[in-house]
Amino acid sequence: MLERTGRQVERVNRALAWIELLVCQFLVAGFALLLLVNVTLRYVFSAPLYYAEETAIYMLIWMTYLAAAAAIARGDMVALTILTDKLPLRLQQGLKVVVNLLIAAMCAVLLDATITWLNAPGTAFDLALTLGLPKRPFYAIMAIFFALVCLHALAHVFLGGLRLLNGQPEPASPDLGASS
């Protein structure tokens, strides 16, 4: 029963990370296209898109948060392991579970704070200058990021705990099918 649940958790975690990377790829393409069109309009026709820079900044912010969440899902974040590499394998696995539990707890607290901030009256009136749109949808990436990282960390806790109970080794970073 736990094995099947573990496979389902693994599948959902990978699918979520794959979606994050797919959205990043669309954002990168849109970002490049937007800047190319804006440069062409500016220097060829002397008629730049007045909102291009601000839109590009928001696209870059969204890409950064989503790519970081996907990297956490894959276990590709930078880690200082000089001390933990000296420990026995089972203790290393146990520490990874504890670290991921702490990450999930921290992200849950930050998610709550972000949602409180997004719902604050002052945030409702904050407008993107050139777009004339409320910034709340652009700021929402922070809440999305903390929710995604919390889910990925909890998946790592469950899967790591399952491997620890079964005496299985840690797998290599999963291939999510995204091009590097």
Side-chain angles (χ1 to χ4, degrees):
M1 174 75 174
L2 277 178
E3 299 297 327
R4 191 175 79 209
T5 304
R7 284 191 301 274
Q8 290 171 340
V9 167
E10 180 82 28
R11 195 173 316 128
V12 168
N13 194 42
R14 284 184 185 204
L16 198 53
W18 183 83
I19 291 168
E20 293 160 11
L21 290 175
L22 182 67
V23 172
C24 279
Q25 290 172 351
F26 280 111
L27 285 169
V28 166
F31 178 81
L33 182 64
L34 177 64
L35 292 182
L36 179 67
V37 167
N38 191 42
V39 166
T40 302
L41 289 174
R42 175 176 305 215
Y43 294 109
V44 175
F45 299 105
S46 296
L49 299 172
Y50 65 92
Y51 55 84
E53 286 85 9
E54 189 173 22
T55 304
I57 289 169
Y58 290 127
M59 292 171 87
L60 190 60
I61 291 167
W62 272 70
M63 282 187 279
T64 303
Y65 276 107
L66 290 173
I72 289 169
R74 294 169 55 130
D76 288 343
M77 295 300 287
V78 174
L80 297 175
T81 61
I82 193 164
L83 295 175
T84 57
D85 286 347
K86 308 268 187 241
L87 298 173
L89 250 43
R90 300 223 352 122
L91 192 52
Q92 287 180 28
Q93 286 179 300
L95 280 175
K96 284 182 183 179
V97 169
V98 170
V99 166
N100 278 300
L101 200 53
L102 289 172
I103 289 170
M106 179 188 70
C107 284
V109 169
L110 291 171
L111 175 61
D112 180 59
T114 302
I115 290 171
T116 301
W117 173 68
L118 284 172
N119 290 324
T123 310
F125 298 110
D126 198 5
L127 295 177
L129 295 176
T130 59
L131 298 172
L133 299 171
K135 283 188 178 180
R136 192 180 278 169
F138 301 113
Y139 292 157
I141 187 57
M142 293 184 331
I144 293 167
F145 170 75
F146 290 129
L148 289 170
V149 172
C150 191
L151 289 173
H152 292 312
L154 289 174
H156 289 307
V157 166
F158 181 78
L159 295 169
L162 198 58
R163 281 189 294 273
L164 197 58
L165 287 174
N166 294 333
Q168 298 170 333
E170 287 284 325
S173 289
D175 178 18
L176 299 174
S179 56
S180 299

